[in-house]
Amino acid sequence: MAGGKFITFEGGEGSGKSTQAQRLAAFVGVAGIEVVLTREPGGTPFAEQVRDLVLSGTTAKHGATAEALLFFAARADHVETLIRPALASGKWVICDRFTDSTRVYQGVAGSVPADVIEMLNRVAAGATQPDLTLILDIDAAAGLARATERREAKSSAGADPFEQRDLSFHQRLRQGYLGVAGADPGRCRVIDATGTPDAVQQRVHEAVLGRFGAHLSGKAR
Ligand code: Z5A
């Protein structure tokens, strides 16, 4: 696709996606490139409504297929109204989660057949697919501990419906992501998400420079 680059962050709970997506947006911005930082589910008013619905816990009882359809409805709007126009105008889009989350959460861990997910992905996103996906990999228990610590520090309400699932669910997610990376090595880079945020950021920057270094000015290095 001519125009901007589409970079997604993926990984389990507390793997540091949001932290690293923000840091990468700043890094790319320093190179003088316009960046759109967004997330899934979310990124548009309609998709944020879907986010509220899914994270409220009211949809889980309807099963993984119903949830997958909701995530793809949100994604269709997100791609159509925000991501595709931004890329077409030359902006880089950095997105916290995208279709790999559906592949792993509703597919691998939720048993929605892979061919159904791929068909829905073609309908919702078409040719607008990530150029680079950074999969933040961390032991499931360690990621959950980070998410729990943050929630307790903020005194926020209870864990969301995904965070509440048992450890084996989160271990399946980790294996699912490693499977996605293995199936699409040209697009995906597995990033060791252990260590300090600065150490992880260094690995992220190396992966992005390795792929898109020619597009980033010396200023960003
Ligand atoms: N979902 C789905 O099932 N299907 C789909 O298709 C899509 C999504 C698109 C969205 O929730 C949920 O929707 C998600 C999957 C599902 N499941 N859950 N839960 P969300 O957006 O609210 O949650 P999340 O995506 O899992 O994000 P998160 O829990 O906020 O984690 P994160 O973004 O990976 O991490 P973070 O916010 O950057 O960091 C978490 C905490 O750890 C925070 O206090 C940081 O300061 C700290 N942190 C970050 N990095 C480090 C390092 N390196 N060391 C120590 N501490 C760190």
Side-chain angles (χ1 to χ4, degrees):
M1 177 187 305
K5 301 294 176 199
F6 185 17
I7 300 174
T8 56
F9 279 86
E10 295 281 358
E13 318 308 298
S15 56
K17 299 175 304 300
S18 311
T19 303
Q20 295 302 328
Q22 284 164 14
R23 288 173 176 228
L24 181 62
F27 179 71
V28 171
V30 165
I33 294 168
E34 273 195 85
V35 183
V36 173
L37 176 62
T38 186
R39 66 176 181 182
E40 289 212 344
T44 67
F46 169 68
E48 291 291 333
Q49 286 182 314
V50 175
R51 178 186 184 85
D52 290 344
L53 183 65
V54 171
L55 295 185
S56 73
T58 55
T59 59
K61 61 179 178 286
H62 301 295
T65 300
E67 284 198 321
L69 290 166
L70 287 169
F71 285 118
F72 276 116
R75 186 164 299 132
D77 186 55
H78 192 203
V79 168
E80 181 69 23
T81 63
L82 183 73
I83 296 175
R84 193 174 289 142
L87 292 171
S89 69
K91 294 175 186 160
W92 286 29
V93 175
I94 297 174
C95 190
D96 186 349
R97 297 193 180 280
F98 196 66
T99 298
D100 292 322
S101 288
T102 323
R103 291 187 174 107
V104 170
Y105 280 77
Q106 284 68 50
V108 174
S111 301
V112 177
D115 59 343
V116 172
I117 290 177
E118 297 313 320
M119 184 270 290
L120 292 169
N121 184 44
R122 284 194 295 278
V123 172
T128 306
Q129 301 296 332
D131 297 297
L132 174 65
T133 295
L134 301 161
I135 295 177
L136 300 193
D137 179 55
I138 189 168
D139 171 71
L144 279 172
R146 282 184 187 170
T148 304
E149 197 179 317
R150 177 191 49 193
R151 186 161 34 78
E152 288 173 353
K154 283 187 178 168
S155 308
S156 29
D160 71 40
F162 296 97
E163 204 181 315
Q164 285 171 18
R165 304 289 297 270
D166 63 18
L167 185 60
S168 69
F169 174 82
H170 294 279
Q171 288 165 336
R172 283 206 301 286
L173 297 179
R174 186 185 189 191
Q175 291 311 314
Y177 274 119
L178 295 175
V180 165
D184 200 347
R187 171 175 65 89
C188 300
R189 295 285 178 280
V190 177
I191 304 287
D192 174 3
T194 61
T196 64
D198 285 352
V200 180
Q201 177 181 325
Q202 183 62 32
R203 294 172 201 135
V204 167
H205 287 184
E206 282 166 12
V208 173
L209 287 169
R211 184 68 191 276
F212 300 126
H215 298 265
L216 294 161
S217 72
K219 205 173 159 194
R221 293 164 188 261

